[in-house]
Structure formats: C-alpha cells, structure tokens
Amino acid sequence: MQYWLFKTEPDEFSIDDLKRKKEEIWDGIRNYQARNFLRDQVALGDLVFIYHSSCKEPGIVGIAKVIKTAFPDPSQFDSQSKYYDAKATTDNPRWTSVTLEFVDKLRIIALSKLKADKQLESMYLVQKGSRLSIQPVTDDEWEYILNTYS
C-alpha cells in the first residue's frame, strides 16, 4: 500500500462533500505529472490525505481510500465541463481519474504546522514551489502525521 495527498479547494469539493457522498470520482486533474501518478502508481486500497488548498487555512482535513483505479476522466469528454479537453477522445483519452471512498474527517492539520515541523522537512508538500495536486507521501510521513497531529 502507498500513501498520497490529494489537494482540493473546499468551495469546489470539500471533505464534508466526500463524507456526505461516501464515494466520489476524483476528476479534473489537468497536470501531466499528477495524471501519471493517478494512472501509473495510485493503487486499489491506497490511503489518501485530503488537503484543502486555496482557502483561509490550508491543510490536511481527512482521509480517503482508493476504491477504483485509473480510468478515463469522464469530464474530459463533456463539452459543458470546465475540465473539457477537445483533444481527448474515447479512443485516446488524455486524463485519468480514480474513485475515492470517505474514511475519516480530521481536525485540520494546518500547512503552517507541517512546514514548521522539522520531521517533515523533506515532505513533498512543504517543499518550496510544491503545487502538484496529487503527491506521494512516504510511510514514515503518514505515520508521523497521524501519530503527532490527530
């Protein structure tokens, strides 16, 4: 099993939305490196930190589990979607989705706390310029965060 951090904007889709729906397609990823993680590495049963970004207090807010792996993102084919991609076809899709299942809502673990923690100084999330919406989390980082902050 691997661990991940998936970013979302809470006004678009929050941990509360995932909790209410119980499971949801994680769509709209339009970065090739993030897409490659979804397509090539995210596996069934992997656990994911849900991270709220672009908000007053960004941070880790919950946990989800991958229950369906790498399939073509349906939003790339929907001309009404803001994630529509005219170059994508059903024969040659460009973007990938997974389905997540809600596991737990956490008290927010603020980015400022994570950045200040010397134990996490090599975590992808706290690196200067880190903006990727799908990020790997090491086993040690996952365990440390849960044991220290939740």
Side-chain angles (χ1 to χ4, degrees), residues 12-150:
E12 294 249 343
F13 191 80
S14 71
I15 190 64
D16 292 325
D17 294 325
L18 183 58
K19 182 178 181 181
R20 186 180 76 257
K21 290 186 162 201
K22 298 185 180 24
E23 63 182 57
E24 184 66 17
I25 294 174
W26 207 261
D27 65 357
I29 303 303
R30 296 299 183 266
N31 171 283
Y32 288 107
Q33 187 176 1
R35 186 257 342 247
N36 292 348
F37 281 140
L38 288 175
R39 184 189 67 201
D40 303 333
Q41 295 183 39
V42 173
L44 198 61
D46 283 357
L47 293 176
V48 174
F49 281 134
I50 302 298
Y51 179 92
H52 284 174
S53 66
S54 301
C55 57
K56 184 178 177 183
E57 186 174 27
I60 296 170
V61 294
I63 299 172
K65 180 169 70 172
V66 177
I67 60 169
K68 184 176 179 186
T69 58
F71 57 92
D73 179 341
S75 67
Q76 69 190 309
F77 308 121
D78 180 359
S79 62
Q80 303 304 307
S81 171
K82 69 180 181 177
Y83 300 115
Y84 176 67
D85 185 337
K87 293 180 181 177
T89 66
T90 54
D91 291 335
N92 190 22
R94 294 168 51 121
W95 305 108
T96 301
S97 291
V98 298
T99 300
L100 297 181
E101 176 181 68
F102 175 81
V103 173
D104 197 11
K105 181 177 178 179
L106 304 174
R107 186 179 27 179
I108 188 168
I109 305 168
L111 176 60
S112 58
K113 285 184 181 180
L114 298 170
K115 282 186 170 185
D117 193 321
K118 293 290 185 197
Q119 294 283 12
L120 298 172
E121 64 188 7
S122 63
M123 186 176 185
Y124 189 90
L125 177 68
V126 303
Q127 300 304 304
K128 189 173 181 102
S130 169
R131 299 189 41 82
L132 204 55
S133 60
I134 307 291
Q135 305 174 5
V137 175
T138 68
D139 295 3
D140 290 342
E141 292 164 348
W142 182 272
E143 291 300 323
Y144 178 80
I145 290 168
L146 288 181
N147 291 330
T148 304
Y149 294 105
S150 64

